[in-house]
């Protein structure tokens, strides 16, 4: 693992397959190696039934081993908005200046971790009431980049989301 390794977090259930496969595909075409993490060793099950086996559990993640951390959305991401272990990992990535990205429902996790305070961000429109809080400058845009953090509204923004992540990664190498 090195500066060309990207870590993806999948909710154990109901992750959005389209967001994962589009983002992962674009970054892999640009020579970034993918690793999947979750809080389970079991198969992660997507909203449309696709299954994915994680490479790492949350306990085994070190920010120095990766260039960036991408949180994949889907309704299962809502279960992680108050996950203290995931928040600690995200804050470690942020302290190291790594690229952090979240799409769809997953920006709720970044908000819960305090990483969006003083930053502009977006999320899936249906979870906007849970997302908006003091300190977060909500933007009704498909993708928002604020310093080292990329947020996106949902699967229809996956290509722009991946391109924005790639742009930030390439600036840092």
């Amino acid at each position: 693992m090195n500066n060309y390794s990207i870590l993806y977090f999948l909710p154990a259930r109901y992750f959005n397959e389209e967001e994962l496969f589009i983002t992962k595909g674009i970054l892999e075409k640009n020579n970034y190696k993918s690793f999947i993490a979750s809080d389970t060793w079991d198969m992660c099950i997507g909203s449309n039934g696709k299954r994915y086996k994680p490479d790492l559990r949350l306990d085994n993640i070190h920010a120095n081993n990766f260039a960036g951390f991408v949180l994949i959305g889907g309704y299962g991401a809502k279960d992680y908005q108050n996950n203290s272990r995931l928040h600690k990992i995200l804050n470690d990535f942020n302290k190291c200046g790594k690229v952090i990205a979240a799409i769809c429902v997953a920006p709720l996790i970044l908000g819960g971790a305090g990483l969006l305070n003083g930053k502009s961000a977006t999320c899936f429109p249906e979870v906007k009431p849970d997302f908006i809080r003091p300190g977060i400058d909500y933007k009704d845009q498909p993708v928002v980049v604020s310093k080292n953090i990329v947020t996106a509204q949902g699967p229809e923004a996956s290509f722009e989301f991946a391109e924005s992540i790639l742009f930030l990664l390439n600036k840092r190498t």
Side-chain angles (χ1 to χ4, degrees), residues 4-170:
Y4 289 96
S5 296
I6 303 297
L7 184 64
Y8 297 84
F9 177 79
L10 294 185
R13 298 184 59 191
Y14 307 117
F15 70 88
N16 186 292
E17 294 99 332
E18 185 178 2
E19 294 166 358
L20 173 65
F21 296 125
I22 289 172
T23 305
K24 187 173 166 288
I26 289 172
L27 294 178
E28 285 177 350
K29 281 181 189 169
N30 286 276
N31 300 316
Y32 285 92
K33 188 168 167 106
S34 298
F35 293 88
I36 304 294
S38 189
D39 62 337
T40 182
W41 278 119
D42 295 328
M43 298 296 266
C44 296
I45 303 169
S47 299
N48 293 314
K50 295 245 193 290
R51 296 172 178 266
Y52 221 99
K53 180 83 173 148
D55 302 305
L56 300 165
R57 286 198 36 149
L58 293 179
D59 308 350
N60 303 327
I61 295 171
H62 302 284
N64 290 332
N65 292 336
F66 301 96
F69 195 6
V70 179
L71 302 172
I72 298 299
Y75 283 103
K78 222 173 182 184
D79 295 339
Y80 298 90
Q81 71 185 49
N82 296 314
N83 185 303
S84 61
R85 179 69 187 129
L86 188 51
H87 291 178
K88 182 191 178 316
I89 294 165
L90 286 163
N91 278 289
D92 289 347
F93 270 75
N94 195 50
K95 285 176 193 156
C96 292
K98 305 290 179 148
V99 174
I100 299 169
I103 187 168
C104 190
V105 178
L108 288 173
I109 301 168
L110 298 183
L115 293 180
L116 299 178
N117 294 335
K119 293 188 174 81
S120 297
T122 194
C123 66
F124 192 61
E126 287 182 30
V127 297
K128 180 180 167 185
D130 297 328
F131 182 70
I132 299 216
R133 58 178 74 178
I136 298 175
D137 179 23
Y138 176 80
K139 301 285 185 191
D140 187 12
Q141 298 171 351
V143 175
V144 175
V145 177
S146 189
K147 298 186 180 177
N148 64 316
I149 296 179
V150 180
T151 53
Q153 287 185 335
E156 63 288 334
S158 294
F159 286 101
E160 186 180 347
F161 177 66
E163 291 293 334
S164 297
I165 295 167
L166 186 59
F167 176 78
L168 286 182
L169 289 168
N170 289 338

